[in-house]
Amino acid sequence: MSQNKPYFFQSYAIIVIAVIALIGFKQVLPKKIFTETPGNTKNVVVDSLALEAAAEVTDTVAENDTLKDNSQINFAAVNGIKFAAENFDDYKGYQHLVMFYEKLLQLETKQQGNVRIAYFGDSMTDGDMIVKEFRSSLQNRFGGEGVGFVNITSESAPSRSTISHQFSTNWKTLSYLNVKHPKKPFGVNGHVFFVKKDTVDPVWVKYKASNVSHLTSLNNPTLFYGNSGNRQGAVDFIVGKDTIRKKLNPVSRVNTLAVGMGDLKSFKANFFAADSIPFYGFNFDDGKGVHVDNFSNRGNSGLPIATFDTNVMRGFNDRLGYDLIVLQYGTNVLNYGSLNYTWYEKKMSRVVEHLRECFPGVAVLIISTADKSTKYDLAMKTDSAVVPLTRAQKKYAVNTEAAYINLYTLMGGDGSMVKWVEEIPARANKDYTHFNFRGAKQISDLIYKQINNGYEEYKRLRGHKTPEPKKPEVKKQDSIIQKPDTTNAPQ
């Protein structure tokens, strides 16, 4: 026992020294440690352009900011409509949605025309999250049937509730997140797909409509594909027991092939002798009302959009006709070791300019990053990069004359993600970054509400009065009116 005493005192001394050292080092350790849980790691892949752009940042000191919170932003009239000036801090930019609002008004009042929206996002909109409720709100009010454009293959297919989507394993998928110079241009979805072994194993894709309102049919299914010297390709469209073979004619930058069997509940497409032909996806819409295409890509910063081929995009626009492009990014550009997002502001400004070259006359809406929590001093708090990033996003929205939604503010501002995760019922996941289905629905409602507020103001400026809802008519029932008997009444 006496021999063990020295070891006991030595161990005790080591523990005491370690505790004192920990207390001393705590003053110099970084406050930001790590998030509480690792979360959904499959959603944190970052596109190559964002990594390269962040690596170029050498100066952590932000440039002089010419847009202050009290800066007044005045607008030029569009078609005689001019919204009131705004302060930078409260900027929404409804003025830049005038042409989009006018098309909604024609739909609402005359049931004329149609409206199409391209909704670009990252893992926040993966599996049609947020977008599906946004689409539903618009179609409930303005009409429209169909889920819109759907890829040939998709990593989020198993989690998507708005369409059942299956495909064979022998497709080659190229994404603009990690391929700079594909052998054929990317489609509007940021992907291009090629068959691998169609001479040995069937290459196929299968779609089935959901039970979601406005999406119960595959409306006018149409295949989109690109240019190739291959003139032997064909597709078998299998609907129930019927099979129709159609030849592919890849002569233009963007080609279409309608299944031609009306609205369907489901179908399978088998591809034959289609080597070297670039495929993009199928479109489903009834050509009326509003249609919203969800172009989400996990890990996307938004920067890869700058690689779009202008002529190919104009080919898509000729066939689809976009009126509004939504850019909802930010999750994948937080935490690069600097709070200076000037680099992102400049590069995304170029993205918006490029989109306007690709889709002439289109309106653009920027949706900021949502709140995100990180652990500081053992407590979950709003990440220090969130506010600087939302400001950079607002600046490039102002500078490019795009509309803007501050999602961080709408969901409650500082510390809001903690509440969304920890309050019951929870509205966000334990990674303190992504919303669950309940939260996604609320976020969609917040986005729709702000857009609609601008639309109602547009109608007021336009001199259009929204008719009050009709009161239900009360039908009068025939009845015999009897006079009171006054024979024995007191005189």
Side-chain angles (χ1 to χ4, degrees):
M1 181 72 180
S2 59
Q3 293 179 351
N4 293 331
K5 286 184 178 180
Y7 297 104
F8 170 79
F9 286 116
Q10 289 178 13
S11 300
Y12 182 77
I14 291 173
I15 293 173
V16 172
I17 293 172
V19 170
I20 295 174
L22 178 62
I23 295 174
F25 283 127
K26 184 179 179 181
Q27 305 303 318
V28 296
L29 287 172
K31 292 184 177 181
K32 180 176 176 179
I33 309 295
F34 36 70
T35 56
E36 186 176 74
T37 63
N40 191 356
T41 56
K42 66 181 180 181
N43 287 342
V44 296
V45 179
V46 181
D47 68 72
S48 59
L49 288 179
L51 292 172
E52 292 176 6
E56 294 173 1
V57 179
T58 57
D59 185 6
T60 57
V61 179
E63 297 178 358
N64 292 330
D65 196 345
T66 58
L67 287 171
K68 304 299 182 182
D69 291 350
N70 59 354
S71 297
Q72 189 175 67
I73 300 164
N74 296 297
F75 303 109
V78 176
N79 288 356
I81 302 298
K82 184 177 180 179
F83 280 78
E86 296 184 79
N87 288 332
F88 175 75
D89 191 43
D90 300 319
Y91 176 77
K92 295 178 177 64
Y94 294 141
Q95 180 69 51
H96 306 306
L97 299 178
V98 164
M99 300 305 293
F100 169 68
Y101 285 151
E102 176 60 25
K103 293 201 70 174
L104 289 181
L105 184 60
Q106 294 302 311
L107 272 178
E108 185 176 27
T109 59
K110 301 178 181 178
Q111 291 74 53
Q112 292 181 351
N114 58 76
V115 169
R116 195 172 198 102
I117 300 170
Y119 201 120
F120 291 90
D122 49 28
S123 58
M124 302 298 280
T125 55
D126 189 55
D128 229 9
M129 295 278 279
I130 299 176
V131 181
K132 66 178 180 180
E133 288 87 3
F134 179 68
R135 181 191 299 113
S136 179
S137 296
L138 289 166
Q139 291 183 333
N140 284 339
R141 180 170 182 181
F142 300 101
E145 299 286 325
V147 72
F149 199 94
V150 182
N151 287 1
I152 293 292
T153 75
S154 172
E155 61 185 351
S156 63
S159 63
R160 185 167 185 171
S161 63
T162 49
I163 189 171
S164 175
H165 180 195
Q166 297 175 298
F167 42 87
S168 60
T169 58
N170 46 359
W171 283 99
K172 182 178 181 180
T173 300
L174 300 181
S175 168
Y176 65 175
L177 267 66
N178 46 39
V179 177
K180 288 185 179 180
H181 305 291
K183 55 184 178 181
K184 296 289 184 179
F186 295 117
V188 67
N189 51 359
H191 289 78
V192 59
F193 307 90
F194 298 92
V195 300
K196 280 186 179 179
K197 299 183 296 180
D198 64 342
T199 57
V200 179
D201 300 317
V203 180
W204 56 268
V205 61
K206 184 189 299 184
Y207 302 96
K208 182 179 179 180
S210 70
N211 293 321
V212 178
S213 179
H214 304 293
L215 309 180
T216 56
S217 293
L218 302 175
N219 306 92
N220 186 31
T222 304
L223 172 66
F224 278 66
Y225 61 104
N227 178 265
S228 171
N230 181 353
R231 299 293 185 269
Q232 305 302 314
V235 183
D236 277 358
F237 294 109
I238 304 170
V239 182
K241 296 181 180 180
D242 298 325
T243 299
I244 298 177
R245 173 162 291 198
K246 293 197 172 186
K247 293 281 293 181
L248 294 166
N249 189 28
V251 295
S252 301
R253 288 187 176 92
V254 178
N255 307 277
T256 58
L257 179 64
V259 176
M261 300 177 69
D263 294 347
L264 305 173
K265 289 295 183 182
S266 66
F267 73 92
K268 182 179 181 181
N270 289 339
F271 294 77
F272 297 97
D275 302 74
S276 79
I277 299 177
F279 294 99
Y280 298 120
F282 278 85
N283 177 57
F284 306 100
D285 73 64
D286 66 346
K288 306 172 185 177
V290 178
H291 301 101
V292 183
D293 300 330
N294 182 2
F295 298 132
S296 63
N297 289 275
R298 297 173 185 172
N300 197 354
S301 67
L303 299 183
I305 294 175
T307 64
F308 276 160
D309 183 286
T310 303
N311 292 323
V312 171
M313 292 306 107
R314 290 188 177 184
F316 273 95
N317 200 44
D318 288 343
R319 289 158 178 79
L320 297 172
Y322 289 104
D323 302 289
L324 175 68
I325 290 178
V326 179
L327 301 176
Q328 182 177 341
Y329 293 111
T331 304
N332 299 290
V333 291
L334 291 166
N335 304 326
Y336 277 101
S338 170
L339 302 183
N340 174 16
Y341 283 98
T342 303
W343 62 276
Y344 188 66
E345 173 195 335
K346 289 180 177 179
K347 289 184 177 294
M348 284 303 294
S349 294
R350 294 174 194 150
V351 165
V352 174
E353 292 169 0
H354 185 57
L355 282 171
R356 290 204 171 106
E357 293 175 359
C358 294
F359 307 94
V362 73
V364 179
L365 168 65
I366 312 300
I367 300 179
S368 82
T369 183
D371 188 29
K372 176 184 178 181
S373 296
T374 301
K375 185 167 285 186
Y376 295 92
D377 290 333
L378 305 182
M380 299 301 293
K381 300 178 182 179
T382 290
D383 193 285
S384 58
V386 169
V387 172
L389 177 57
T390 61
R391 185 176 182 84
Q393 291 175 310
K394 188 189 300 184
K395 286 177 67 178
Y396 84 74
V398 172
N399 292 332
T400 59
E401 297 186 344
Y404 177 76
I405 292 178
N406 191 328
L407 194 54
Y408 164 72
T409 300
L410 285 184
M411 64 180 290
D414 185 54
S416 55
M417 182 56 79
V418 174
K419 296 178 181 178
W420 282 55
V421 172
E422 298 179 358
E423 288 181 354
I424 300 175
R427 292 168 286 172
N429 299 326
K430 282 291 187 178
D431 63 357
Y432 289 81
T433 302
H434 296 89
F435 302 105
N436 59 22
F437 289 106
R438 183 181 293 105
K441 171 65 167 63
Q442 185 173 343
I443 290 297
S444 173
D445 290 343
L446 291 171
I447 293 171
Y448 176 79
K449 181 179 179 181
Q450 180 166 322
I451 293 174
N452 186 63
N453 287 342
Y455 176 57
E456 294 299 333
E457 176 64 11
Y458 168 76
K459 290 196 293 186
R460 188 190 69 79
L461 293 172
R462 179 93 150 55
H464 178 83
K465 295 183 179 180
T466 302
E468 296 182 3
K470 293 182 179 180
K471 295 181 180 179
E473 295 182 1
V474 179
K475 293 184 178 180
K476 295 182 179 179
Q477 296 181 351
D478 295 334
S479 60
I480 300 174
I481 302 176
Q482 297 180 341
K483 293 182 179 180
D485 185 0
T486 58
T487 304
N488 300 318
Q491 301 296 317

